[in-house]
Amino acid sequence: MTSSQHLTLHFANSAEEAPRIARRIEYYLHDKKISDSIINKILLCVDELITNIIAHAYTDKQEHAVLLDCKVVDNVIELELRDDGVPFDPTTQTRPDVKLSLENRDIGGLGIHLVMTLMDKVEYQREGDFNVLKARISTNSRG
């Protein structure tokens, strides 16, 4: 569903969905005259978050519905992802030491680090059976 300030997408926990979701978000943000730099940051974060949900959120092989909501309000882009996977709070995960050489780093955690670094604010809540991740970035954000 698309309205003037709001894009809501429901999709299955399937890797095949990620490109479709990215295209819809890209069109939506272009329509809102968001800069390519910010759109690229959003697309990187959405890809990381969706990939994490698909890869790690479910312990069964069943199809699950995931919801992504994107809106632009007062020069702020807000994302909300909602899934019914196992509880997982990415905001409390230990960040990788990116100063270490690649050979000396632990595997994993870079996607979450990327999201936490690129977005201005990331919040997590467990609401009943759902993980709810909210991320915000200013349309004037640099970096």
Side-chain angles (χ1 to χ4, degrees):
M1 176 177 102
T2 303
S3 67
S4 62
Q5 295 297 320
H6 192 70
L7 171 70
T8 300
L9 302 169
H10 296 266
F11 54 98
N13 56 322
S14 165
E16 294 150 6
E17 293 277 31
R20 181 180 71 85
I21 300 304
R23 280 192 305 274
R24 295 286 307 274
I25 291 172
E26 184 176 10
Y27 292 143
Y28 171 76
L29 294 175
H30 272 296
D31 188 53
K32 299 295 177 203
K33 312 293 187 219
I34 304 300
S35 73
D36 287 343
S37 170
I38 297 296
I39 291 173
N40 288 334
K41 289 179 182 179
I42 295 284
L43 293 176
L44 274 172
C45 291
V46 166
D47 184 65
E48 286 297 331
L49 294 167
I50 290 174
T51 300
N52 279 346
I53 290 170
I54 292 168
H56 305 293
Y58 301 102
T59 57
D60 60 33
K61 301 289 183 196
Q62 301 296 312
E63 184 173 297
H64 294 264
V66 181
L67 180 138
L68 186 145
D69 187 76
C70 181
K71 59 186 170 185
V72 180
V73 179
D74 297 331
N75 297 323
V76 175
I77 301 165
E78 297 179 4
L79 297 173
E80 180 176 312
L81 270 160
R82 182 176 292 262
D83 68 82
D84 64 346
V86 296
F88 178 72
D89 181 354
T91 66
T92 61
Q93 302 304 304
T94 303
R95 290 200 180 188
D97 185 349
V98 294
K99 293 179 182 171
L100 291 174
S101 67
L102 289 175
E103 297 82 27
N104 294 321
R105 286 189 207 165
D106 291 332
I107 296 174
L110 287 175
I112 292 171
H113 174 73
L114 178 74
V115 172
M116 300 294 283
T117 301
L118 291 178
M119 300 301 284
D120 295 334
K121 188 172 187 179
V122 178
E123 300 173 289
Y124 169 85
Q125 290 182 314
R126 184 74 180 175
E127 294 181 2
D129 292 334
F130 294 92
N131 294 302
V132 180
L133 184 88
K134 296 179 181 179
R136 295 177 185 84
I137 188 168
S138 168
T139 58
N140 302 316
S141 182
R142 298 178 187 219

